[in-house]
Each structure stands twice: as structure tokens, then as C-alpha cells.
Amino acid sequence: MEIHISRSAVENNLKLIKKIVGENVRISSVVKANAYGHGIETYVPVAKEAGIDHFSVFSYNEAIQVYKITKKTADIMIMGWIGTSQLKDVVRKGIEFYVFNLERLNDALSEAKTLKKPAKIHIEVETGMNRTGLSKKDFKLALRIILDNIKHFEIKGLCSHLAGPESIANHVRVKNQINTFGTFKAELEKNGLAPEYCHLACSAAAVCYPGSRHNLVRIGIMQYGFWSSREVFLRYLHNKSGFDNPLKRVITWKSEVMSVKTVKTGKFISYGTTYLASEDIRTAVVPVGYSFGYSRSLSNRGRVLINGVRCSVIGLVNMNMITIDVTRAGDVKPGDEVILIGEQNDMAISVDSFSEITQQINYEILSRLSRDIPRIVVE
Ligand SMILES: *Cc1c(COP(=O)(O)O)cnc(C)c1O
């Protein structure tokens, strides 16, 4: 079983994103959750070669992975979790990080003092997501602390996160967030502080809300070749002729047939009684199961490609195996290629189609792809 990462697709997607946001907006490549399942160690070098020099991660551990790969040739930003004992190393290595409460700010200050090295901070403010970020009141207190200790800080950014710009249903809330962010920015400037970057936009906002771009956008899902939602794609198409999708899927997930057999009419297949053969059928077992991220909810519903034919998953998805009905797929033998996500001849299985079946969204399916599957870069 292998996951292929297409270099040309990455180049294509980054070029498109650049065209959308403009030359003066820096792109931070979001590689949390093992680069959305693409494999942080595989994906980061490919993005780097395609011109990316800023990476965003969720946690310290992910930051260290990127740090080892990029060897100080890219900026790294931790948007979320850093254990108290890990903060010293973050400051020492010059890794940038979010400050979303006064505790984190004070911890950063004390590490910066001990190390005699300024902490590179991004001030995260609460604009309406109500997850993390400094309230107006705490922001004022934070400004005092920062101004009184200015030599211990490098103010890399002012930032916030939008609560669902991929859906028009959230339009008013998102608009209000963008405005609120503006008032924080003005307040910061009034105090004589000029952050290097102001950033608010994820993929969906970068496309749908130009006013949220400022001078840096944090791009996750789009660089991997997926629109955040169908609405975002439609918004992109507005004022364009045609319906061509300019994004290219980066990932292909493939396996091979492990064993083939005939099952007689009236027999149940795999555990239990969820699938009854209503005719004599040919089945192929593929060594992929829920332990690799092939969701159990695809039992009796998933589709794969074999011999260029779309074939059904029958019975339950097991821990390491699925059974496929290959009755109409011609001569299928052990070793034949099986496409779980990707293309074969003119047929395609998209991550979107999984989502429609299982209600899981792209993000979740991708990020659950097992780390044990080898990732290979292809052109
Ligand atoms: C994941 C994440 C992003 C990227 O979101 P996409 O929709 O994948 O572009 C941006 N900012 C923050 C804070 C995130 O957690």
C-alpha cells in the first residue's frame, strides 16, 4: 500500500493560490495533522521546493519535525499547543508561536529573559470564534506587558481565526470578525506597535473575503488540491467562464489485490451477516482497513477502482482488510492495482465522494490516513 504525492499538483495549486491572493501576500503552508495526511516529511520538502518558506503547525512536536526538515531555511509558526516545558526550546530555536492568553505571554517573557533571546510571538485576538485568543481586556493588559518588556519580544504577527468562512450561512459572523480584527489592529498601531504580519485568512477566506488577507494567509486544504467546500469553489468560479476545476488533487492512495475467490449464492461475506451474496460472485480481498484510515462507515458503501472499473466494498470494513465485489471487473488477479483515492484509466475516486457517503469531511478523512502508509513523491 502506498500514498503518492504529486509534485506537479502541488506546484499547480500553489501557483493558483498565489494568483488569487496576489504577489504581496505571503503564503504560510499549514502542515498540521501530518500535512493533512500527506505526510509532513514528504510534503514539506516538496512545498519548499515550490517556493514556500513559511509553515504553520498545531503543536511543538510538529514544529520540531518541520525544523529538522527545513534546517532554518523556513519560518515555522505554532498555532496551538506547546507544553510548558517545551516553550524554552521554542524560543531558543527561534520558532514563532501564538500568544492567546496572559499565561502564555508571561511564560514567553520569562523564557526570553532567561535565554536573553526575544520570543517571536503572534498575538492572537478573540474576534468571535470564541475558542482561543485575547479578549479586549486581556489584549490591553498584554500590550502593557509587551511595551514594558519590548526588548524581549519580536512582534511577528497579529492574528485571529474565522469561524466558518466556507459557508455563506456564517457571512454576518465572519464579516463582524473581520471588522473586529481591524479594531485590534488599530489599537496595536495606536500603541506604536507594528506587527510584521497581520493574518486571519484560511483557504476559504483567502478566496471569499479579500479583506481578510492582509499580508499573510494560512493555507491548508487548498494546497492539497481541495476546495474547503462546494460553495467556495462556486465563489471562485464567479465571473469566470466555464466550470473547470483548476486545483489538482495531490494525493493518490493505492493498494493491490491480495486474494481472489468465488462466493456462492446465499453465503454471507466477512464478519456477521451484513452482506449476503444474491448470486455467485467474484470477490477480491484488499489489505486495507480502518486501522489505516479507511473508515468503518464505508462498510457496504465504499467504492474502489480495479481494472478501471468502479467496484463496491461488500460487508464490513475490517481492521486490515476489505472485501470487494469484482464480478464485473473482468479478469482480476492477486497483485492487480487497487485505487482507494485517485484515478485509474478514465475513472476517479475522490475524497469528496467518501464524504458524501460517510458525512466525514475532506479534512477528517485525510488527517486520519495512517502514518504507517509509505508516502512517495511522484512528478
Ligand atoms: C487549520 C488551520 C488553517 C488552515 O485551514 P484550511 O481551511 O485548511 O485552509 C488556518 N488557520 C488555523 C488557525 C488553522 O487551525
Side-chain angles (χ1 to χ4, degrees):
M1 185 176 7
E2 291 172 351
I3 284 175
H4 288 186
I5 300 300
S6 161
R7 185 188 298 280
S8 58
V10 175
E11 288 166 356
N12 170 80
N13 300 340
L14 290 172
K15 201 184 279 176
L16 177 77
I17 295 160
K18 237 190 163 54
K19 198 167 125 200
I20 292 172
V21 301
E23 283 298 321
N24 297 327
V25 177
R26 194 171 181 193
I27 296 172
S28 179
S29 162
V30 180
V31 293
K32 64 191 181 195
N34 201 26
Y36 291 48
H38 291 65
I40 207 163
E41 277 161 19
T42 314
Y43 186 76
V44 167
V46 173
K48 187 106 206 320
E49 281 155 32
I52 292 289
D53 58 3
H54 195 288
F55 291 95
S56 294
V57 295
F58 174 71
S59 67
Y60 169 78
N61 291 337
E62 292 170 340
I64 293 303
Q65 277 185 291
V66 178
Y67 186 83
K68 284 181 181 152
I69 299 164
T70 56
K71 303 192 174 66
K72 300 188 185 165
T73 59
D75 295 327
I76 302 167
M77 177 169 84
I78 303 175
M79 305 184 292
W81 176 242
I82 304 170
T84 312
S85 63
Q86 298 166 334
L87 194 56
K88 179 171 265 110
D89 197 38
V90 171
V91 176
R92 187 190 295 125
K93 290 192 162 73
I95 295 171
E96 305 169 14
F97 57 99
Y98 277 25
V99 162
F100 43 75
N101 57 23
L102 296 173
E103 290 86 346
R104 172 69 68 83
L105 182 64
N106 284 318
D107 289 347
L109 176 59
S110 77
E111 297 300 356
K113 279 182 177 164
T114 325
L115 291 165
K116 298 193 170 55
K117 181 167 180 175
K120 298 185 177 179
I121 61 169
H122 290 256
I123 306 166
E124 188 193 10
V125 292
E126 176 57 72
T127 56
M129 170 98 172
N130 295 312
R131 190 170 66 178
T132 51
L134 295 160
S135 64
K136 285 238 154 74
K137 180 164 152 275
D138 284 351
F139 180 68
K140 285 206 163 68
L141 294 171
L143 286 188
R144 279 264 60 80
I145 297 170
I146 292 168
L147 287 166
D148 289 347
N149 298 279
I150 195 68
K151 70 168 199 278
H152 296 296
F153 292 109
E154 242 180 77
I155 314 296
K156 279 286 170 184
L158 176 74
C159 57
S160 191
H161 192 48
L162 298 171
E166 69 281 353
S167 169
I168 193 77
N170 304 321
H171 182 69
V172 172
R173 186 174 173 197
V174 167
K175 272 289 194 196
N176 287 337
Q177 283 193 272
I178 293 171
N179 291 339
T180 306
F181 187 74
T183 63
F184 277 110
K185 183 167 179 254
E187 176 86 16
L188 201 64
E189 285 162 358
K190 213 172 72 192
N191 282 276
L193 291 175
E196 209 172 318
Y197 293 99
C198 285
H199 52 103
L200 185 58
C202 57
S203 299
V207 175
C208 305
Y209 295 92
S212 72
R213 289 177 198 147
H214 296 274
N215 58 351
L216 184 140
V217 290
R218 305 181 304 257
I219 302 291
I221 197 87
M222 238 179 122
Q223 63 183 323
Y224 306 110
F226 303 97
W227 297 95
S228 320
S229 67
R230 209 163 287 221
E231 276 176 46
V232 174
F233 179 38
L234 291 175
R235 179 67 184 73
Y236 168 81
L237 287 177
H238 187 67
N239 290 336
K240 297 198 171 50
S241 57
F243 294 92
D244 289 340
N245 182 0
L247 288 177
K248 292 208 168 89
R249 185 174 19 75
V250 168
I251 205 166
T252 296
W253 185 16
K254 60 169 77 178
S255 182
E256 57 185 77
V257 173
M258 177 170 134
S259 151
V260 182
K261 67 167 64 183
T262 300
V263 178
K264 292 281 185 201
T265 315
K267 300 291 182 192
F268 291 112
I269 286 169
S270 185
Y271 291 118
T273 54
T274 70
Y275 190 89
L276 178 74
S278 57
E279 57 177 338
D280 289 357
I281 57 174
R282 289 292 284 168
T283 63
V285 169
V286 181
V288 172
Y290 56 79
S291 73
F292 302 103
Y294 199 86
S295 174
R296 207 165 171 277
S297 56
L298 292 163
S299 298
N300 281 315
R301 299 159 109 183
R303 302 278 186 278
V304 304
L305 299 175
I306 301 177
N307 271 346
V309 176
R310 202 183 294 274
C311 303
S312 301
V313 173
I314 53 178
L316 298 177
V317 172
N318 299 169
M319 188 184 284
N320 297 304
M321 284 182 272
I322 48 178
T323 303
I324 310 295
D325 180 354
V326 292
T327 312
R328 283 159 195 87
D331 178 29
V332 174
K333 306 172 297 305
D336 284 355
E337 181 188 77
V338 178
I339 296 289
L340 304 154
I341 300 172
E343 281 158 34
Q344 201 178 50
N345 304 347
D346 292 337
M347 301 294 279
I349 301 279
S350 68
V351 182
D352 282 349
S353 67
F354 279 39
S355 312
E356 277 164 21
I357 299 169
T358 68
Q359 311 291 322
Q360 273 177 316
I361 54 173
N362 289 344
Y363 294 85
E364 187 173 345
I365 288 177
L366 292 170
S367 64
R368 289 171 74 160
L369 288 172
S370 167
R371 285 165 201 266
D372 294 341
I373 308 169
R375 269 81 169 167
I376 294 161
V377 178
V378 297
E379 290 316 303

